[in-house]
Amino acid sequence: MLSQYLRIRERDGIVALFHELHPDPIFCSLDKWRNLLAGITDGDEVLINDLKQRRLLVDSPENDRQEFEMVAINLERKLNQPVILYLMTAQGCNLNCKYCPVPAIAKKYGETILSMEDAFAGIDLWEEHLKDVYDSSLQYFVIFYGGEPLLNKEVIKNSLGYLKMKKDAGFLPANLNVMIATNGILVDDEIIALCKEYEVMVSVGLDGPKSSNDVLKVDGSGNGTFDRIVAIIRLLVQSNIRTFASVSITPFNIDQITEYSKFFMELGIEKFGFNFLKGRLLLELVGRDGLDDYYEQASRGVIENARRQSKPGFEYQMEKKQAAFDSKDFFPVDCTCYGNQLVVQPDGQISNCPFSKTWLGHVREVGKDFRIFNQPIVKKWRERLPIHHSGEAKAVCGGGCAWSSNELKGDPLAVDDSSRIFSEEVLNELIWSRYKKLKSEKA
Ligand SMILES: C[S@@+](CC[C@H](N)C(=O)[O-])C[C@H]1O[C@@H](n2cnc3c(N)ncnc32)[C@H](O)[C@@H]1O
């Protein structure tokens, strides 16, 4: 019998048959597929074997149930792995990007900075987490974040020393990566020297060429930031510091993002990632009626940019979905707030999301048995993940952002349309580019 997870796409007389939980498409002519459905299977052993191998033809519904169980167990295991520690060293920011929720949070709760004690306590608590679940095949990350993390250089400097000491003593993983996510403006010689000494990677926020960046990414006086940020990126690259870029897709660059891999390659960075804008400020920029158009245009732009780029995987959003598809894996999550990250907010409160103060307790008071992946809010937010819902592109859809769903729809469990629309477009792209590749290999 056909699996309940068998899905079909058709284009120009060719059908792609794939498993919804781990797409690894088989291609055949529409006629061949129709004959098979009609029971005329003569000469189609290869196709039948392929279908069986991919568990698209099964003996009973029990096989489908087992398949689902396997994917669900695997996903749960991945979600219970706290691969990231976010240390939010400052709530305030020296810029005033018009789409960023951080200034409003800082206004509401104050421009707190993280204390040294809380930063160290965060590192200690993360160490406790890793004692249970450390996996040497994974990469682990500490990310200094904000607001603008470099408003609190002292705590970054001391935390780097503390992390190194723990790593050298074998208390933290050897495969530990450290990153500062910054707008770059406050990078100076001391920061460059620290990044070199501790092998810190730097991710810089920049929204593309000057004319598009400077509309929304402005400082407190409303001045554009492009020239200053690009000068810093060049300095980081020249100093051999691993440098990345974080790029928001705005109404002012959405028409140009197809060329962004070229633009960022020329700056010499290692890789960059697009951000679909999230939260209430997006409504101010595109209006509620403009949301779907924004998501669709942004999705097509991200895909087209990946098609045009000369270095495969240079853009991160596409790279991670492509990697899951190529390895026939179920893509776990778009966001690491479902148990994969421990966030220490500037006031020492723990949360599972940097943009959302979820008040899970103070880092110095929760005790060493606290685990982020066991928190009720994390368990609740997992209910929104695509595996639990219908959707033919669920294997490449990470489910998006609960914080944004809450902002836009008043419900953290509501579907994130940006993630839904992007993954549907991406799945089609991945399927048909695979077909094109197979065809050209045969020719
Ligand atoms: C919150 S900032 C913090 C680090 C640093 N101050 C900076 O400006 O890059 C990190 C990244 O968040 C992204 N960001 C800000 N507001 C966003 C939003 N509403 N939706 C999605 N990403 C957003 C920006 O692209 C920025 O690069």
Side-chain angles (χ1 to χ4, degrees), residues 261 265 268-271 305-306 308-315:
S261 279
M265 278 284 260
I269 62 164
E270 191 170 322
K271 198 178 268 210
N305 173 71
R308 293 183 190 186
Q309 69 194 358
S310 55
K311 184 175 163 196
F314 186 61
E315 192 284 312

Side-chain angles (χ1 to χ4, degrees), residues 54 92 130 153 165 168 215 263 304 309 321 356 362 369:
R54 285 162 171 85
L130 301 187
K153 287 183 188 166
M165 192 260 288
D168 290 350
V215 190
F263 171 80
E304 183 57 29
Q309 69 194 358
K321 306 234 181 216
S356 184
H362 193 279
D369 294 331

Side-chain angles (χ1 to χ4, degrees), residues 99-101 145 147-148 181-183 205 217 246 248 275-278:
Y99 46 73
C100 182
Y145 201 75
E148 174 47 46
T182 171
N183 56 47
K217 208 166 181 65
S246 162
S248 288
N275 302 316
F276 284 65
L277 285 183
K278 303 175 182 71

